[in-house]
Amino acid sequence: MKITVLDGGIINPGDLQWSPITSIAETTIYEETLPTEIAERTADADVVVVNRLSLPSEVVAQIGEKVRLVSIMGTSADLVAVQALEKRGIAVCNVQGYSSEDAAQHTMALMLELFRHIGLHSDSVHRGEWTERNTWSYWLTPPICLDKKVLGLVGFGSIGRRVSRLANAFGMEILACCRTPRNPPSYGPFSFVSMDALLQRADVISLHCPLTNETRGMICQKSIARMKDGVYLINISHGGLVNQEDCAAALRSGKIAAMGTDVLAHEPPNAEDALLHAPNVLITPHMAWASRTTRQRLVNLTGENIRRWMQGTPVNLLTRTRKG
C-alpha cells in the first residue's frame, strides 16, 4: 500500500504533523506537482492525495494504473474530473466541515473591516496624522454600526449558520436563502426568504453556497440591479459565484458600497483582474481556512478518510465506486 501526496506544500509549510497519513502506509509527499509529473509520481501509488491540484479528464488518463482512491484535502471538487475517475474505477472522497469556524470568523473580520475601517485609521495614526491634527478624536470616514443592519446569507450550511450566530451577537437581522430551508435557529430576528427578497432587503450580502452550473456568476449585473443602493458584498466561498467585471462596475458607481472577498475567479489573479482595480475592495489571498488548527484538522480527517476506505467503510465519497 502506497500513498502519494501531490501538493502538500500549502497545507503544510512545515508547521503540521503528517503522521495521520504517513502512519497508514508508505507515503511520499511532494510540495507541488506539475501536470507533466503526475504520471511518474502516481505510477506506484494506490492512493493519491490532492489539495488544489487540477485533475481534468486529460490528466486523469495519466494517473497510475494502481491508483484506486483520490482523496481531496478539502471540500471543493471543482478542479477534479470526478466522473472520469469513476469511469476508471477510482473512488473519490473529500473532507467536509473542517473549516466552518475559520470561515465564519473571516467573514466577520471582512465585514467589520468594511464597516469600521480599522486598518485605514491605524495607518493614518502611524503616518502621524493624529499628532498633526492636535485633537482628541477624528475619522477619515465615519465607522458604521452593525446593530439593526440586515444580513442576507446565500447558503445556510455549517458556515452560513455559524456566520448567522456571530452576526446575531452584533445585533443584526438575519435573512437566509437556501435550497432546503429547515431547522431555523432559535434566536431572532431570523427569516428564510427567497433570493429576490434577500437581494432587495439585505444591507450586507454574504455568499456561502457551492459553485454549481446554477450558481456560477449569480452575482451579476441583473442581480446587482435588484440589490439596495449602497449594499455591502462578502464572498469567502467561491470566486466563480461572482461576475467580477459587473461587481467592479457596481463598486465604481457606488451601487455596491464595498466588497470583501477571500476568493477570486482566477487564483492567483492576473494584473488585469477587474477587482484589483475597483474601489473599496478588500481582498485576502484565499486564507479563510488557513489557521494551524484547521489545517491540522484537514490532515487528520484526510487520514481518517483513507483509513475508512481501506477498511471497506468509506465516507465522504463523491463517486459510486467504493473500493477497487
Side-chain angles (χ1 to χ4, degrees):
M1 181 76 178
K2 293 184 179 180
I3 301 170
T4 297
V5 180
L6 290 176
D7 58 336
I10 295 294
I11 294 286
N12 184 7
D15 58 347
L16 304 182
Q17 297 294 323
W18 282 114
S19 55
I21 296 175
T22 59
S23 62
I24 298 172
E26 179 183 341
T27 304
T28 302
I29 300 170
Y30 298 99
E31 289 193 4
E32 58 183 346
T33 295
L34 298 173
T36 54
E37 298 172 321
I38 288 176
E40 178 184 355
R41 292 184 174 183
T42 62
D44 294 329
D46 301 282
V47 175
V48 170
V49 179
V50 296
N51 173 221
R52 293 293 293 174
L53 180 66
S54 180
L55 296 179
S57 298
E58 59 271 21
V59 172
V60 166
Q62 302 173 31
I63 291 176
E65 292 295 326
K66 292 177 58 181
V67 175
R68 287 295 171 262
L69 174 68
V70 170
S71 182
I72 302 172
M73 278 198 294
T75 301
S76 178
D78 57 297
L79 297 179
V80 175
V82 175
Q83 290 183 341
L85 288 162
E86 186 174 44
K87 286 180 180 179
R88 285 195 51 185
I90 299 173
V92 182
C93 63
N94 67 351
V95 178
Q96 301 179 13
Y98 69 94
S99 63
S100 298
E101 292 294 335
D102 267 22
Q105 289 181 30
H106 203 84
T107 298
M108 295 306 299
L110 288 171
M111 194 186 309
L112 287 166
E113 180 61 26
L114 291 176
F115 275 67
R116 306 300 302 188
H117 312 292
I118 303 300
L120 174 71
H121 288 89
S122 177
D123 289 345
S124 172
V125 171
H126 283 284
R127 287 194 300 268
E129 293 179 12
W130 195 358
T131 302
E132 292 170 2
R133 288 169 183 258
N134 193 28
T135 183
W136 68 273
S137 175
Y138 74 98
W139 48 88
L140 303 176
T141 185
I144 300 171
C145 184
L146 290 179
D147 186 49
K148 303 299 189 295
K149 295 294 183 185
V150 179
L151 171 63
L153 297 171
V154 182
F156 203 60
S158 60
I159 297 173
R161 285 180 179 273
R162 184 57 179 153
V163 172
S164 176
R165 188 187 308 171
L166 294 174
N168 172 261
F170 281 90
M172 301 185 79
E173 177 183 352
I174 313 299
L175 308 177
C177 175
C178 57
R179 287 177 294 182
T180 52
R182 58 174 177 255
N183 301 324
S186 58
Y187 52 79
F190 173 92
S191 303
F192 284 119
V193 296
S194 68
M195 186 64 177
D196 194 59
L198 185 148
L199 292 173
Q200 293 182 43
R201 292 181 55 196
D203 299 302
V204 184
I205 296 174
S206 190
L207 307 180
H208 302 283
C209 58
L211 180 63
T212 66
N213 290 334
E214 290 73 29
T215 61
R216 188 178 299 276
M218 66 187 301
I219 304 301
C220 60
Q221 185 178 23
K222 182 179 179 180
S223 58
I224 291 169
R226 288 146 59 195
M227 298 177 188
K228 281 186 175 182
D229 291 343
V231 69
Y232 288 73
L233 178 64
I234 295 176
N235 185 14
I236 58 97
S237 188
H238 296 277
L241 298 173
V242 169
N243 183 309
Q244 295 183 177
E245 289 73 20
D246 290 355
C247 280
L251 285 157
R252 288 191 293 270
S253 73
K255 177 67 176 182
I256 298 178
M259 178 178 180
T261 185
D262 186 54
V263 288
L264 294 173
H266 300 285
E267 298 173 349
N270 58 51
E272 283 70 47
D273 192 295
L275 289 180
L276 291 180
H277 304 284
N280 303 320
V281 183
L282 290 175
I283 304 175
T284 52
H286 205 143
M287 55 174 285
W289 61 281
S291 74
R292 184 180 181 279
T293 299
T294 292
R295 287 183 290 111
Q296 186 64 63
R297 184 183 302 120
L298 180 55
V299 173
N300 297 349
L301 292 172
T302 298
E304 181 62 19
N305 278 351
I306 296 170
R307 286 185 187 277
R308 292 288 300 272
W309 174 79
M310 290 175 61
Q311 294 167 357
T313 56
V315 292
N316 300 321
L317 281 179
L318 305 178
T319 56
R320 289 168 295 181
T321 303
R322 298 175 65 84
K323 185 172 181 180

